Coordinates of all heavy atoms in Angstrom, one line a residue:
I230 N -1.5 -47.3 36.0 CA -0.4 -46.9 36.8 C 0.4 -45.9 36.1 O 0.9 -46.1 35.0 CB 0.4 -48.1 37.3 CG1 -0.4 -49.0 38.1 CG2 1.7 -47.6 38.0 CD1 0.4 -50.3 38.5
E231 N 0.6 -44.7 36.7 CA 1.4 -43.6 36.1 C 2.7 -43.4 36.9 O 2.7 -43.4 38.1 CB 0.5 -42.3 36.1 CG -0.7 -42.4 35.2 CD -1.5 -41.1 35.1 OE1 -1.4 -40.4 36.1 OE2 -2.1 -40.9 34.1
I232 N 3.7 -43.1 36.1 CA 5.0 -42.7 36.7 C 5.5 -41.4 36.0 O 5.3 -41.2 34.8 CB 6.1 -43.8 36.4 CG1 5.6 -45.1 37.0 CG2 7.4 -43.4 37.0 CD1 6.6 -46.3 36.7
L233 N 6.1 -40.5 36.8 CA 6.6 -39.3 36.3 C 8.0 -39.5 35.7 O 9.0 -39.8 36.4 CB 6.7 -38.3 37.4 CG 7.1 -36.8 37.0 CD1 6.1 -36.2 36.1 CD2 7.4 -36.0 38.3
L234 N 8.1 -39.5 34.3 CA 9.3 -39.7 33.7 C 9.3 -39.1 32.3 O 8.3 -38.5 31.8 CB 9.7 -41.2 33.6 CG 8.5 -42.2 33.2 CD1 8.3 -42.2 31.7 CD2 8.9 -43.6 33.6
D235 N 10.4 -39.3 31.6 CA 10.5 -38.8 30.2 C 10.0 -39.9 29.2 O 10.7 -41.0 29.1 CB 12.0 -38.4 29.9 CG 12.1 -37.7 28.5 OD1 11.5 -38.1 27.6 OD2 12.9 -36.7 28.5
R236 N 8.9 -39.7 28.6 CA 8.3 -40.7 27.7 C 9.2 -41.1 26.6 O 9.4 -42.3 26.3 CB 7.0 -40.1 27.1 CG 6.3 -41.1 26.1 CD 5.2 -40.4 25.4 NE 4.1 -40.1 26.3 CZ 3.1 -41.0 26.6 NH1 3.1 -42.2 25.9 NH2 2.2 -40.7 27.4
I237 N 9.9 -40.1 25.9 CA 10.7 -40.4 24.8 C 11.9 -41.3 25.2 O 12.2 -42.3 24.5 CB 11.3 -39.1 24.2 CG1 10.1 -38.2 23.7 CG2 12.2 -39.4 23.0 CD1 9.2 -38.8 22.7
L238 N 12.5 -41.1 26.3 CA 13.6 -41.9 26.8 C 13.2 -43.3 27.1 O 13.9 -44.3 26.7 CB 14.3 -41.3 28.0 CG 15.0 -40.0 27.8 CD1 15.6 -39.5 29.2 CD2 16.2 -40.2 26.8
L239 N 12.0 -43.5 27.6 CA 11.5 -44.8 27.9 C 11.2 -45.5 26.6 O 11.5 -46.7 26.5 CB 10.2 -44.7 28.8 CG 9.5 -46.1 29.1 CD1 10.5 -46.9 29.9 CD2 8.2 -45.8 29.9
E240 N 10.6 -44.8 25.6 CA 10.3 -45.5 24.3 C 11.6 -45.9 23.6 O 11.6 -47.0 23.0 CB 9.5 -44.5 23.5 CG 8.1 -44.3 24.0 CD 7.3 -43.3 23.1 OE1 7.9 -42.7 22.2 OE2 6.1 -43.1 23.3
V241 N 12.6 -45.1 23.6 CA 13.9 -45.4 23.0 C 14.5 -46.7 23.7 O 15.0 -47.6 23.0 CB 14.9 -44.2 23.1 CG1 16.3 -44.7 22.7 CG2 14.5 -43.1 22.2
T242 N 14.4 -46.7 25.0 CA 14.9 -47.9 25.8 C 14.2 -49.2 25.4 O 14.8 -50.2 25.1 CB 14.7 -47.6 27.3 OG1 15.4 -46.5 27.7 CG2 15.2 -48.8 28.1
L243 N 12.8 -49.1 25.4 CA 12.1 -50.3 25.0 C 12.3 -50.7 23.6 O 12.4 -51.9 23.3 CB 10.6 -50.0 25.3 CG 10.2 -49.8 26.8 CD1 8.7 -49.4 26.9 CD2 10.4 -51.1 27.5
R244 N 12.4 -49.8 22.7 CA 12.6 -50.1 21.2 C 13.9 -50.9 21.0 O 14.0 -51.9 20.3 CB 12.6 -48.9 20.4 CG 11.2 -48.3 20.1 CD 11.2 -47.4 18.8 NE 12.1 -46.3 19.0 CZ 11.7 -45.1 19.5 NH1 10.5 -44.9 19.9 NH2 12.6 -44.2 19.6
N245 N 14.9 -50.4 21.7 CA 16.3 -51.0 21.5 C 16.3 -52.4 22.1 O 16.9 -53.4 21.6 CB 17.3 -50.2 22.1 CG 17.8 -49.1 21.2 OD1 18.6 -49.3 20.3 ND2 17.3 -47.9 21.4
L246 N 15.7 -52.6 23.3 CA 15.7 -53.9 23.9 C 14.8 -54.9 23.2 O 15.2 -56.1 23.0 CB 15.1 -53.8 25.4 CG 16.0 -53.0 26.4 CD1 15.4 -52.9 27.7 CD2 17.4 -53.8 26.5
I247 N 13.6 -54.5 22.7 CA 12.8 -55.4 21.9 C 13.4 -55.7 20.6 O 13.4 -56.9 20.1 CB 11.4 -54.8 21.7 CG1 10.7 -54.7 23.1 CG2 10.6 -55.7 20.8 CD1 9.4 -54.0 23.0
D248 N 14.1 -54.7 19.9 CA 14.7 -55.0 18.7 C 15.9 -56.0 18.8 O 16.1 -56.9 18.0 CB 15.2 -53.6 18.1 CG 15.9 -53.8 16.8 OD1 15.2 -54.1 15.8 OD2 17.2 -53.6 16.7
N249 N 16.7 -55.8 19.9 CA 17.7 -56.8 20.2 C 17.2 -58.2 20.4 O 17.8 -59.2 19.9 CB 18.5 -56.3 21.4 CG 19.7 -55.4 21.0 OD1 19.9 -55.1 19.9 ND2 20.5 -55.0 22.0
A250 N 16.1 -58.3 21.2 CA 15.5 -59.6 21.4 C 15.1 -60.3 20.2 O 15.3 -61.5 20.0 CB 14.3 -59.4 22.4
I251 N 14.5 -59.5 19.2 CA 14.0 -60.1 18.0 C 15.2 -60.5 17.1 O 15.3 -61.6 16.5 CB 13.2 -59.1 17.2 CG1 11.9 -58.8 17.9 CG2 12.9 -59.6 15.8 CD1 11.0 -57.7 17.3
K252 N 16.3 -59.7 17.1 CA 17.4 -60.0 16.2 C 18.2 -61.2 16.7 O 18.6 -62.1 15.9 CB 18.4 -58.8 16.2 CG 18.0 -57.6 15.4 CD 19.2 -56.7 15.2 CE 19.7 -56.2 16.6 NZ 20.9 -55.3 16.4
Y253 N 18.3 -61.4 18.0 CA 19.2 -62.5 18.5 C 18.4 -63.7 18.9 O 19.0 -64.7 19.3 CB 20.0 -62.0 19.7 CG 21.0 -60.9 19.3 CD1 20.8 -59.6 19.5 CD2 22.2 -61.3 18.7 CE1 21.8 -58.6 19.1 CE2 23.2 -60.4 18.3 CZ 22.9 -59.1 18.5 OH 23.9 -58.1 18.1
S254 N 17.1 -63.7 18.9 CA 16.3 -64.9 19.2 C 16.3 -65.8 18.0 O 16.1 -65.4 16.8 CB 14.9 -64.5 19.6 OG 14.9 -63.8 20.8
P255 N 16.3 -67.1 18.2 CA 16.2 -68.1 17.1 C 14.8 -68.1 16.6 O 13.8 -67.6 17.2 CB 16.5 -69.5 17.8 CG 17.2 -69.1 19.1 CD 16.7 -67.8 19.5
I256 N 14.6 -68.6 15.4 CA 13.3 -68.7 14.7 C 12.3 -69.5 15.6 O 12.7 -70.5 16.2 CB 13.4 -69.2 13.3 CG1 14.3 -68.3 12.5 CG2 12.0 -69.4 12.6 CD1 14.6 -68.8 11.1
E257 N 11.0 -69.1 15.6 CA 10.0 -69.8 16.3 C 10.2 -69.9 17.8 O 9.8 -70.8 18.5 CB 9.8 -71.2 15.7 CG 9.4 -71.2 14.3 CD 9.3 -72.7 13.7 OE1 9.6 -73.6 14.5 OE2 8.8 -72.8 12.6
E258 N 10.7 -68.8 18.4 CA 10.9 -68.7 19.8 C 9.9 -67.6 20.3 O 9.3 -66.9 19.5 CB 12.3 -68.4 20.2 CG 13.3 -69.5 20.0 CD 13.0 -70.7 21.1 OE1 12.3 -70.4 22.0 OE2 13.6 -71.8 20.9
N259 N 9.8 -67.5 21.6 CA 9.0 -66.5 22.2 C 9.8 -65.4 22.9 O 10.9 -65.6 23.5 CB 8.0 -67.1 23.3 CG 7.1 -68.1 22.6 OD1 6.6 -67.9 21.5 ND2 6.7 -69.1 23.3
I260 N 9.3 -64.2 22.9 CA 9.8 -63.1 23.6 C 8.7 -62.7 24.6 O 7.6 -62.4 24.3 CB 10.2 -61.9 22.7 CG1 11.3 -62.2 21.8 CG2 10.6 -60.7 23.6 CD1 11.6 -61.2 20.7
I261 N 9.1 -62.7 25.9 CA 8.1 -62.4 27.0 C 8.4 -61.1 27.6 O 9.6 -60.9 28.1 CB 8.1 -63.5 28.1 CG1 7.8 -64.9 27.4 CG2 7.1 -63.2 29.2 CD1 7.9 -66.1 28.4
I262 N 7.5 -60.2 27.7 CA 7.6 -58.9 28.3 C 6.7 -58.8 29.5 O 5.5 -59.0 29.4 CB 7.3 -57.7 27.3 CG1 8.2 -57.8 26.1 CG2 7.5 -56.4 28.0 CD1 7.8 -56.8 25.0
K263 N 7.3 -58.6 30.7 CA 6.6 -58.6 31.9 C 6.7 -57.2 32.6 O 7.7 -56.5 32.4 CB 7.1 -59.6 32.9 CG 7.0 -61.1 32.4 CD 7.6 -62.0 33.5 CE 7.6 -63.4 33.0 NZ 8.2 -64.3 34.0
S264 N 5.8 -56.9 33.5 CA 5.9 -55.7 34.3 C 5.4 -56.1 35.7 O 4.3 -56.7 35.9 CB 5.1 -54.5 33.8 OG 3.7 -54.8 33.8
I265 N 6.2 -55.7 36.7 CA 5.9 -56.0 38.1 C 6.2 -54.8 39.0 O 7.0 -53.9 38.5 CB 6.6 -57.2 38.7 CG1 8.1 -57.1 38.6 CG2 6.1 -58.5 37.9 CD1 8.8 -58.2 39.2
I266 N 5.7 -54.7 40.2 CA 6.1 -53.7 41.1 C 6.7 -54.4 42.4 O 6.1 -55.3 42.9 CB 4.9 -52.8 41.5 CG1 4.4 -52.0 40.4 CG2 5.2 -51.9 42.7 CD1 3.2 -51.2 40.6
N267 N 7.9 -54.0 42.8 CA 8.5 -54.6 43.9 C 9.4 -53.5 44.6 O 10.2 -52.8 43.9 CB 9.4 -55.8 43.4 CG 10.0 -56.5 44.6 OD1 9.5 -56.4 45.7 ND2 11.0 -57.3 44.4
N268 N 9.3 -53.4 45.9 CA 10.1 -52.5 46.7 C 10.0 -51.1 46.1 O 11.1 -50.4 46.0 CB 11.6 -52.9 46.7 CG 11.8 -54.2 47.5 OD1 11.0 -54.5 48.4 ND2 12.8 -55.0 47.1
N269 N 8.8 -50.6 45.9 CA 8.6 -49.3 45.4 C 9.3 -49.0 44.0 O 9.6 -47.9 43.7 CB 9.0 -48.2 46.4 CG 8.2 -46.9 46.3 OD1 7.1 -46.9 45.8 ND2 8.8 -45.9 46.7
K270 N 9.5 -50.1 43.3 CA 10.1 -50.0 41.9 C 9.2 -50.6 40.9 O 8.5 -51.7 41.1 CB 11.4 -50.7 41.9 CG 12.5 -50.3 42.9 CD 13.1 -49.0 42.5 CE 14.3 -48.6 43.4 NZ 14.9 -47.3 43.0
Y271 N 9.1 -49.9 39.8 CA 8.3 -50.5 38.6 C 9.4 -51.2 37.8 O 10.3 -50.6 37.2 CB 7.6 -49.4 37.8 CG 6.7 -49.9 36.8 CD1 5.3 -49.9 37.0 CD2 7.2 -50.3 35.5 CE1 4.5 -50.4 36.0 CE2 6.3 -50.7 34.6 CZ 5.0 -50.8 34.8 OH 4.1 -51.3 33.8
I272 N 9.2 -52.5 37.6 CA 10.2 -53.3 36.9 C 9.7 -53.9 35.6 O 8.6 -54.4 35.6 CB 10.7 -54.5 37.8 CG1 11.2 -54.0 39.2 CG2 11.7 -55.3 37.1 CD1 11.5 -55.1 40.2
I273 N 10.4 -53.6 34.5 CA 10.1 -54.2 33.2 C 11.1 -55.3 32.9 O 12.3 -55.0 32.9 CB 10.1 -53.1 32.1 CG1 9.2 -51.9 32.5 CG2 9.7 -53.6 30.8 CD1 9.3 -50.7 31.7
L274 N 10.6 -56.5 32.6 CA 11.4 -57.6 32.3 C 11.2 -58.0 30.8 O 10.0 -58.2 30.4 CB 11.2 -58.8 33.2 CG 11.4 -58.5 34.7 CD1 10.8 -59.7 35.5 CD2 12.9 -58.4 35.0
I275 N 12.3 -58.2 30.1 CA 12.2 -58.7 28.7 C 13.0 -60.0 28.6 O 14.2 -60.0 28.8 CB 12.7 -57.7 27.7 CG1 11.8 -56.4 27.8 CG2 12.6 -58.3 26.3 CD1 12.3 -55.3 26.9

């Protein structure tokens, strides 16, 4: 699935969200990253 967007901005967004999730999650926990399509929107959940 392809979307017309700025790759660098998307990568910066994902890096900061995943980095925050790692920093603030307790030890031995899980981080779940999902992707879905709903109402003509591509949704990324962390």
Side-chain angles (χ1 to χ4, degrees):
I230 295 177
E231 294 183 332
I232 303 178
L233 187 64
L234 47 74
D235 190 317
R236 175 190 292 270
I237 302 300
L238 291 180
L239 179 61
E240 290 178 351
V241 169
T242 301
L243 293 173
R244 280 201 302 268
N245 277 278
L246 289 178
I247 295 174
D248 181 66
N249 269 5
I251 293 173
K252 284 193 306 180
Y253 292 101
S254 294
I256 297 174
E257 298 181 352
E258 288 289 347
N259 293 328
I260 297 174
I261 302 173
I262 303 175
K263 300 178 182 179
S264 65
I265 59 174
I266 293 178
N267 187 20
N268 292 331
N269 207 28
K270 302 283 186 183
Y271 188 98
I272 304 174
I273 304 171
L274 300 167
I275 299 177

